[in-house]
Amino acid sequence: MEWLSGIIFTLLTLGLICAWKVLNSLWLTPKKLEKLLREQGIHGNSYRFLVGDAKDLFKMGKEAKSKPMNLSDDIIPRVDPYTQQTLKNHGKNSYIWFGPKPRVFLTKPEQIKDVLNKMSEFPKRSNPSFKSLVNGLSSHEGEKWSKHRRLINPAFKLEKLKIMTPSFFTSCNDMISQWENLLSLEESCEIDIWPSFQNLTSDAISRTAFGSSYEEGKTIFELQRELAELIVKDTVKSFIPLWRFVPTIAHRKMNEIERNIQSSLKDIINKKEKALKIGESTTNDLLSILLESNHKEIEENTNNKNVGMTLDDVVGECKLFYFAGQETTSVLLVWTMILLSRYPNWQQRARAEVLQIFENKKPDFDGLNCLKIVTMILYEVLRLYPPLVGFVRQVETDVKLENLILPAGVEVFLPVLLLHHDCELWGDDAKMFNPERFSEGVLKATNGRHSFFPFGGGPRICIGQNFALMEAKMAVAMILQHFSFELSPTYAHAPSTILTLQPQHGAQIIIRKVET
């Protein structure tokens, strides 16, 4: 019987150890962090077991989304109401509980700049669910991030971007032709431009990322969009320990979609590698450039097994190309069109500039780089409607940030939308559309402060920002060449976050042919 007693004792010991770990991570550590933050004058709600403020956060967000808002660019009350309420109740030095983790708001440009520049001290927050959707460069840290950034950089150099510009034109021209067909028998026509831009940017990133395999790439995008919706719906339960391992219907569906994406991407990569080896493919698309860069590094370091990317690494980067490249540009374009519909004087100024540079000819790379007014408009759209409303970073060891000592275990939140709308930083017209503020560039508009960061900042600044802006310029220029437009009476203003900032009920506009 001694052996039985030994087993029981071992099981009890293991049970107590597990119980202690759970108690420590879900109660003792959060309460300790709460005390440390409050001692420094950082305030928030008292910790509530397991969920923290998450239940109230999602409830308030759901209520805000339940009805459209007035036609205004003061969108924070609808898009991020809980952040706004927290700062109102607890001041700018405050935090919320995202599950058992306190998330500290940073609202000073100097703090934002420090966090974005100090990669090792403020790594990105790891989220296994989101990794299935967007892996690659955005998820890596340390040496792996450095290696991937170095290998991917050649794909985003200006000379490569110039080569890809005709692909942008082809995708935009297809959309323009579809719109013209709708207008063939009518003076005007109502279009929901949101799905149009999703299809446009899906087509463009498919062509530029996968070259001749772009039709297969478009199928992958549909799968990623479905996966993103499932992940967002599941977020509210993600604080439950080991929840992601529970075999729910949603989790099984997510795993199935991820397997299909992985399989499709591996097929495309293998075909591309074979074509490159026998000289049947050029290196004018992102995947080919990445594979060429990867092969070159491996060949130059044959004695080092740690160089280059594995097949899974390349798959991860393709997922990131696709999701980030498509999402960023589509939301930028949809809000640009909505704002130009509301401000016809800026629409007219932008069209005059486009016609002056291109007349009715095909826009080219050099001409797109000369579009000053269009660039001002795009920057102002990114200020008022940034693709991501904020960035989260972890604190893994105690770190000093100005006069704060942030203890290991907390997270920091860089509220992009909040800072972009801050009247103290941008003036009394901060919540109004005024592209003129960017007439002398970003540095002048921000007075040298880090108050404009739609693409992040520091070493991890979005590698594809020039890619997104060039594609957006091509689309805006071609639309202005062919159409004038205004908001439809059926449009309901409802900015909403589904990973990125999107129009919840679509974006209905009325288009007319431009008289030439």
Side-chain angles (χ1 to χ4, degrees):
M1 293 299 289
E2 286 184 12
W3 62 270
L4 182 59
S5 299
I7 291 173
I8 293 172
F9 177 77
T10 301
L11 290 174
L12 285 173
T13 303
L14 290 173
L16 287 171
I17 290 171
C18 289
W20 170 255
K21 286 185 175 180
V22 170
L23 176 67
N24 189 51
S25 64
L26 297 182
W27 183 256
L28 298 179
T29 295
K31 294 303 288 184
K32 176 185 174 184
L33 293 174
E34 181 178 340
K35 181 173 181 288
L36 290 170
L37 291 174
R38 289 190 170 181
E39 286 174 350
Q40 298 181 71
I42 307 173
H43 300 288
N45 294 328
S46 294
Y47 173 61
R48 285 171 284 180
F49 183 72
L50 188 61
V51 296
D53 294 324
K55 190 175 179 181
D56 292 343
L57 186 154
F58 286 110
K59 181 182 177 183
M60 188 174 286
K62 188 177 180 180
E63 288 173 356
K65 290 179 183 178
S66 65
K67 54 185 181 299
M69 61 177 284
N70 294 331
L71 200 56
S72 161
D73 299 317
D74 184 10
I75 64 173
I76 294 175
R78 187 178 202 277
V79 174
D80 200 3
Y82 201 78
T83 294
Q84 187 179 51
Q85 176 182 278
T86 299
L87 295 176
K88 181 180 178 182
N89 292 343
H90 300 289
K92 287 194 172 183
N93 289 329
S94 57
Y95 62 87
I96 62 170
W97 290 99
F98 215 70
K101 280 187 176 286
R103 183 172 289 182
V104 178
F105 293 108
L106 300 180
T107 56
K108 295 180 181 178
E110 298 77 17
Q111 294 174 332
I112 304 287
K113 185 177 180 180
D114 271 359
V115 169
L116 292 173
N117 280 319
K118 296 175 180 177
M119 286 175 51
S120 59
E121 293 181 32
F122 297 96
K124 294 190 75 171
R125 178 174 175 262
S126 177
N127 188 319
S129 297
F130 282 96
K131 273 193 174 183
S132 65
L133 177 67
V134 183
N135 204 345
L137 191 66
S138 68
S139 304
H140 300 321
E141 299 291 342
E143 288 184 14
K144 189 167 187 177
W145 176 85
S146 299
K147 177 174 71 174
H148 281 228
R149 183 87 181 197
R150 184 179 67 254
L151 291 171
I152 294 168
N153 265 333
F156 291 94
K157 287 184 176 178
L158 283 179
E159 60 266 25
K160 294 297 184 181
L161 198 55
K162 189 171 185 177
I163 293 170
M164 293 175 196
T165 304
S167 295
F168 294 153
F169 173 82
T170 301
S171 299
C172 292
N173 198 49
D174 288 349
M175 185 188 75
I176 296 293
S177 297
Q178 291 168 10
W179 289 10
E180 286 181 329
N181 288 336
L182 293 172
L183 273 173
S184 58
L185 300 175
E186 303 288 341
E187 283 188 10
S188 65
C189 177
E190 180 181 302
I191 299 175
D192 182 355
I193 57 171
W194 176 227
S196 289
F197 285 142
Q198 288 179 302
N199 291 334
L200 162 65
T201 54
S202 168
D203 189 75
I205 194 66
S206 296
R207 291 178 189 274
T208 53
F210 304 123
S212 59
S213 303
Y214 80 96
E215 285 293 347
E216 297 170 71
K218 289 174 73 174
T219 302
I220 294 167
F221 165 67
E222 295 298 330
L223 291 171
Q224 280 195 310
R225 184 155 58 185
E226 186 180 355
L227 181 58
E229 290 174 359
L230 289 169
I231 288 171
V232 170
K233 288 178 183 176
D234 198 58
T235 300
V236 69
K237 296 177 183 176
S238 64
F239 309 112
I240 301 172
L242 304 178
W243 171 253
R244 66 191 177 93
F245 298 108
V246 179
T248 63
I249 294 173
H251 287 173
R252 288 199 294 270
K253 182 66 175 175
M254 288 158 67
N255 290 333
E256 180 189 350
I257 293 172
E258 185 183 2
R259 284 195 297 270
N260 289 337
I261 291 172
Q262 293 273 110
S263 175
S264 297
L265 282 171
K266 285 180 179 179
D267 284 345
I268 291 175
I269 292 164
N270 288 331
K271 286 178 189 174
K272 183 70 69 175
E273 284 193 314
K274 287 177 183 176
L276 285 168
K277 283 178 182 176
I278 60 177
E280 289 185 359
S281 179
T282 64
T283 55
N284 291 342
D285 56 80
L286 294 172
L287 177 56
S288 295
I289 298 166
L290 174 58
L291 290 174
E292 184 184 48
S293 176
N294 193 39
H295 291 161
K296 186 178 179 182
E297 169 135 329
I298 292 171
E299 287 172 3
E300 291 175 353
N301 298 272
T302 52
N303 296 325
N304 188 345
K305 294 181 180 181
N306 294 320
V307 301
M309 295 187 194
T310 64
L311 177 59
D312 285 337
D313 286 339
V314 177
V315 167
E317 297 306 339
C318 286
K319 286 160 76 173
L320 180 60
F321 283 163
Y322 216 89
F323 187 80
Q326 190 277 334
E327 283 285 309
T328 303
T329 314
S330 61
V331 295
L332 171 56
L333 284 171
V334 78
W335 294 119
T336 299
M337 289 289 285
I338 289 170
L339 284 161
L340 289 181
S341 296
R342 290 171 51 200
Y343 296 90
N345 58 320
W346 280 103
Q347 184 183 151
Q348 290 163 10
R349 287 181 65 180
R351 182 177 295 106
E353 179 183 58
V354 168
L355 294 177
Q356 180 187 1
I357 293 174
F358 300 117
E359 296 177 342
N360 290 315
K361 297 172 186 173
K362 174 181 174 180
D364 57 24
F365 181 81
D366 293 331
L368 292 171
N369 279 319
C370 294
L371 291 173
K372 181 181 177 183
I373 291 173
V374 170
T375 301
M376 287 160 50
I377 289 168
L378 291 174
Y379 282 156
E380 182 69 344
V381 175
L382 286 167
R383 187 184 71 82
L384 288 170
Y385 295 84
L388 296 174
V389 300
F391 303 112
V392 179
R393 295 290 185 267
Q394 298 185 95
V395 178
E396 294 183 341
T397 57
D398 293 359
V399 61
K400 191 173 189 303
L401 186 67
E402 290 191 325
N403 61 331
L404 300 177
I405 300 294
L406 297 172
V410 307
E411 295 176 344
V412 293
F413 183 63
L414 317 182
V416 179
L417 182 64
L418 195 80
L419 262 73
H420 282 194
H421 285 240
D422 191 332
C423 292
E424 291 182 15
L425 297 172
W426 294 94
D428 294 339
D429 66 345
K431 302 180 192 304
M432 297 173 63
F433 180 69
N434 178 20
E436 203 68 56
R437 74 179 83 244
F438 288 103
S439 61
E440 297 181 59
V442 172
L443 194 64
K444 183 75 171 177
T446 59
N447 292 318
R449 295 173 294 189
H450 206 82
S451 53
F452 180 71
F453 52 112
F455 295 104
R460 292 197 82 123
I461 192 166
C462 176
I463 197 171
Q465 63 172 320
N466 291 329
F467 179 98
L469 287 169
M470 188 58 63
E471 183 185 349
K473 287 178 187 179
M474 175 68 81
V476 170
M478 292 182 69
I479 291 168
L480 289 169
Q481 281 178 317
H482 292 83
F483 308 105
S484 62
F485 43 92
E486 62 189 57
L487 281 185
S488 167
T490 62
Y491 172 70
H493 195 47
S496 174
T497 300
I498 305 173
L499 295 184
T500 52
L501 186 57
Q502 305 176 8
Q504 184 179 347
H505 304 302
Q508 298 76 18
I509 65 166
I510 295 171
I511 62 169
R512 294 181 175 83
K513 290 181 181 178
V514 169
E515 297 295 331
T516 56

